[in-house]
């Protein structure tokens, strides 16, 4: 299959037309969102959904997020409680995914057989226009091959999936660069399954309900993503809190070292800026350059960013195959 590369910034209407036509035919299309690029297929076509798992090499028991264009779309696939409605009013469209009880017609392929469905309304107007023109919500995991960082540029999608998908709609770099916040609602209580740029305290302030962590004893089926090995770069990632610690790490290493930090610590090794928006691009770049060790300076501002710290800690975990 030849993957079509569509430059959406040059002609948005054309991008919407071609993406939605391919989706209606049951093809898989990589689409931009404000968080990361997603690998989209229409939820009313099981063959199309199967093509997502095939292209990504994703285990079929890891459910997908359904992306909608309108509030009415949410009610067409899930039960919307009073608290869910308040969260939607406050954060949709945006980088918040809600895990809600699903309606029975939603395909088990999308939800991996769970009785819940994850729903998100992207903030990027182009994404919503594509979904609306496709005529049905689309399931879309991040558009990377399993085991790679989420793509934040069309080039990342092409590196991972060229030839395996029908098209990539290129709208440049994603605004956020980290995947959405995922929250599950159970009996009008909120559980954080994945931190993202919609922060815990934003949610608590908006709806006046505490956002809890998933208890360690909880049935993991409620947060399936946590069972899978997360991306870690080929390089060893070490998190440090001070310039002194960074310098010690530099001295202990004889290999190719890179410093990722909010600002240059000027400790005599190559530096790249650290931010949520650019983290995944920097990790992909370090792999390409065969960097052996990435020293990440987590200053107080970075430490206060739950989503960024979560992804950094995952990247720093030794990668155990499973
Ligand atoms: O920002 C995002 O959320 C991006 C863009 C493309 O929208 N999508 C994304 O999808 O990150 P994915 O598939 O890479 O991550 C979805 C996460 C997984 O950890 C999955 O296990 C979890 O959401 N998830 C999906 N459905 C679920 C459900 N019914 N219950 C619990 N967790 C669910
Ligand atoms: Mg993903």
């Amino acid at each position: 299959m030849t993957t079509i590369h569509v430059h959406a910034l040059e002609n948005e209407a054309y991008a919407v037309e071609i993406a939605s036509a391919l989706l209606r035919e049951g093809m898989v299309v990589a689409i931009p969102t404000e968080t990361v690029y997603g690998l989209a297929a229409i939820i009313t076509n099981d063959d199309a959904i199967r093509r997502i798992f095939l292209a990504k090499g994703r285990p079929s028991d890891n459910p997908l997020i359904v992306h909608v264009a309108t509030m009415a779309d949410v009610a067409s696939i899930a039960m919307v409680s009073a608290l869910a409605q308040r969260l939607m009013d406050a954060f949709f469209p945006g980088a918040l995914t809600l895990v809600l009880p699903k309606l029975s017609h939603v395909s088990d392929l999308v939800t991996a057989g769970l009785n819940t469905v994850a729903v998100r309304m992207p903030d990027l107007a182009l994404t919503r226009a594509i979904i609306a023109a496709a005529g049905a919500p689309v399931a879309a995991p991040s558009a990377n091959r399993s085991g790679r960082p989420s793509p934040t540029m069309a080039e990342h999608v092409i590196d991972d999936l060229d030839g395996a998908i029908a098209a990539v709609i290129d709208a440049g770099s994603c605004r956020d660069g980290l995947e959405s916040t995922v929250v599950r609602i159970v009996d009008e209580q909120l559980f954080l399954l994945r931190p993202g740029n919609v922060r815990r305290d934003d949610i608590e302030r908006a709806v006046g309900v505490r956002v809890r962590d998933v208890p360690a004893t909880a049935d993991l089926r409620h947060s399936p993503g946590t069972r899978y090995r997360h991306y870690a770069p080929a390089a060893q990632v070490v998190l440090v809190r001070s310039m002194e610690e960074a310098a010690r790490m530099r001295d202990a290493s004889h290999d190719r070292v890179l410093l990722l930090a909010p600002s240059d610590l000027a400790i005599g090794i190559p530096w790249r800026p650290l931010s949520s928006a650019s983290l995944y691009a920097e990790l992909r770049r370090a792999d390409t350059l065969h960097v052996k060790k990435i020293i990440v300076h987590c200053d107080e501002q970075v430490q206060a960013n739950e989503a960024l710290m979560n992804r950094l800690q995952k990247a720093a975990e030794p990668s155990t195959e499973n």
Side-chain angles (χ1 to χ4, degrees), residues 31-39 56 58 61-67 94-100 102 110-112 114-120 122 127 140-144 150-151 176 178-184 193-194 220-228 230 311:
I31 58 171
T33 81
E34 73 280 14
T35 59
V36 300
Y37 277 78
L39 198 57
K56 261 188 84 96
R58 182 182 178 109
D61 59 347
N62 194 1
L64 307 175
I65 295 175
V66 175
H67 295 63
L96 177 67
T97 296
L98 295 178
V99 175
L100 304 172
K102 74 161 194 143
V110 172
T111 62
L114 298 176
N115 55 12
T116 54
V117 60
V119 190
R120 171 165 118 76
T127 324
S142 50
N144 51 285
S150 293
D176 292 359
L178 295 182
E179 307 86 345
S180 62
T181 305
V182 182
V183 168
R184 179 157 184 213
L193 302 187
R194 180 174 74 185
L220 278 182
R221 274 180 309 162
H222 295 159
S223 50
T226 56
R227 269 178 298 157
Y228 298 98
H230 281 271
R311 305 312 190 274

Side-chain angles (χ1 to χ4, degrees), residues 244-263:
E244 292 69 34
E245 222 184 317
R248 270 203 303 280
M249 285 294 160
R250 171 205 61 197
D251 294 342
S253 180
H254 304 286
D255 289 314
R256 190 172 296 189
V257 182
L258 177 74
L259 173 68
L260 262 188
S263 59

Side-chain angles (χ1 to χ4, degrees), residues 184-225:
R184 179 157 184 213
I185 307 178
V186 184
D187 298 333
E188 302 301 69
Q189 292 189 54
L190 301 179
F191 295 94
L192 185 66
L193 302 187
R194 180 174 74 185
N197 279 358
V198 172
R199 296 161 78 122
R200 206 190 272 268
D201 48 336
D202 296 334
I203 298 172
E204 292 178 341
R205 219 175 301 117
V207 295
V209 176
R210 219 184 106 209
V211 178
R212 298 157 194 271
D213 290 314
V214 180
T217 52
D219 182 343
L220 278 182
R221 274 180 309 162
H222 295 159
S223 50

Side-chain angles (χ1 to χ4, degrees), residues 28 36-40 49-60 62-64 139-151 157 160-161 164-165 179 194 284:
V28 168
V36 300
Y37 277 78
L39 198 57
I49 301 298
R50 283 192 193 95
R51 285 190 188 102
I52 294 179
F53 288 98
L54 214 65
K56 261 188 84 96
R58 182 182 178 109
S60 61
N62 194 1
L64 307 175
S142 50
N144 51 285
R145 276 197 65 79
S146 276
R148 299 269 294 152
S150 293
V157 178
D160 283 11
L161 297 169
I165 60 175
E179 307 86 345
R194 180 174 74 185
R284 280 179 179 261

